[in-house]
Amino acid sequence: MLAKHCAVLKSLYTLLSIMAHVAGQEDREKTTALKDLLSRIDLDELMKKDEPPLTFPATLEEFEYAFNQKGQLRHIKTGEAFVFNAKEDLHRWNQKRYEALGEILTQYVYELLEKECSLTKAIVPVDAVDEEASSFIFHSADALTNPARLLVLIQGSGVVRAGQWARRLIINQDLDSGTQIPFITRAMQALGRWVSGGPTEDPEGAQSRDKRKETQVTRSQ
């Protein structure tokens, strides 16, 4: 009798083990199928269905923003500072809008370098052929020909371009904080028309300094 009970229990244990194995296998198959399904879902496409078109103004005026007398970016109707979250829960759209404004500000700063700082835009290398990689710089009148002195201002990495320290500072604070223009202006006021390339005292004396033209270059990525 005991032997029969043991046999029944052994069979029951075997059956339960088989059922557990099958259930575990089914769970693994379901998990694999779910992962496969999720891998096929394009999250960007899902987000696009709920967001407005990614078309933005091409000018500051169309954005309805302008710089006031303090160099602060303000809305032309409300006078408020730039608001990143123009549309709640649409981070991707807000980010693209921010980037579009940043590109406009890049061109705006380029214009300031030419108009307010009297710099000239030049392609480098100057003898680049069609397929050769090239960029451009903004330089003072004789920066490429006068060997006396050269001050080079180089912006950081990322999205910032010539004349900028940080796009975020231009948008959220002011032009003085985010651009190189105050540095260029102060140097020109202190040394005349040209910008000095060195902060140390000239051992040759003031008379020698007056005979030399100072130069300035600010480089673009």
Side-chain angles (χ1 to χ4, degrees):
M1 189 71 174
L2 181 60
K4 291 183 179 179
H5 284 302
C6 289
V8 171
L9 289 174
K10 184 176 181 180
S11 299
L12 181 59
Y13 175 78
T14 301
L15 178 61
L16 290 174
S17 298
I18 293 173
M19 292 176 63
H21 177 73
V22 172
Q25 186 174 1
E26 289 179 352
D27 288 341
R28 287 193 294 272
E29 290 176 353
K30 289 179 181 179
T31 301
T32 301
L34 180 60
K35 289 181 179 179
D36 181 64
L37 177 62
L38 291 175
S39 68
R40 296 166 185 257
I41 297 176
D42 190 333
L43 295 179
D44 285 340
E45 289 298 326
L46 288 177
M47 293 174 65
K48 290 178 182 178
K49 293 180 180 179
D50 297 326
E51 71 182 8
L54 298 177
T55 54
F56 303 100
T59 65
L60 271 182
E61 291 76 13
E62 293 175 358
F63 254 105
E64 297 187 336
Y65 279 95
F67 287 98
N68 59 24
Q69 293 182 348
K70 296 181 180 180
Q72 301 166 326
L73 188 66
R74 293 292 183 266
H75 195 278
I76 59 177
K77 294 181 178 179
T78 65
E80 296 180 352
F82 178 77
V83 177
F84 179 86
N85 289 318
K87 295 185 181 296
E88 293 293 335
D89 301 324
L90 290 177
H91 179 80
R92 180 174 177 272
W93 186 90
N94 289 326
Q95 179 63 33
K96 294 295 183 182
R97 172 176 172 266
Y98 177 85
E99 293 171 2
L101 176 61
E103 291 302 316
I104 293 174
L105 294 179
T106 291
Q107 298 302 319
Y108 183 85
V109 173
Y110 288 166
E111 293 178 6
L112 292 179
L113 292 177
E114 294 181 297
K115 294 178 180 179
E116 293 193 6
C117 300
S118 300
L119 302 183
T120 301
K121 182 178 179 180
I123 302 298
V124 289
V126 294
D127 56 351
V129 296
D130 292 340
E131 297 181 356
E132 184 178 0
S134 63
S135 186
F136 59 87
I137 61 174
F138 288 89
H139 64 84
S140 56
D142 69 343
L144 305 181
T145 58
N146 190 333
R149 276 187 173 183
L150 188 66
L151 170 64
V152 181
L153 296 180
I154 304 177
Q155 76 282 357
S157 61
V159 297
V160 292
R161 295 295 181 263
Q164 300 182 41
W165 293 128
R167 176 182 292 180
R168 177 180 58 83
L169 294 178
I170 296 175
I171 294 176
N172 297 324
Q173 293 192 30
D174 52 44
L175 289 170
D176 283 353
S177 300
T179 73
Q180 298 172 349
I181 293 174
F183 295 84
I184 300 172
T185 302
R186 285 197 294 269
M188 294 174 74
Q189 291 173 346
L191 300 168
R193 183 178 178 185
W194 306 102
V195 180
S196 174
T200 57
E201 183 177 354
D202 187 349
E204 298 177 15
Q207 184 176 1
S208 176
R209 289 200 301 271
D210 292 340
K211 293 180 180 179
R212 292 200 307 267
K213 291 182 178 180
E214 311 299 332
T215 58
Q216 188 273 351
V217 170
T218 171
R219 179 174 181 174
S220 169
Q221 282 185 338

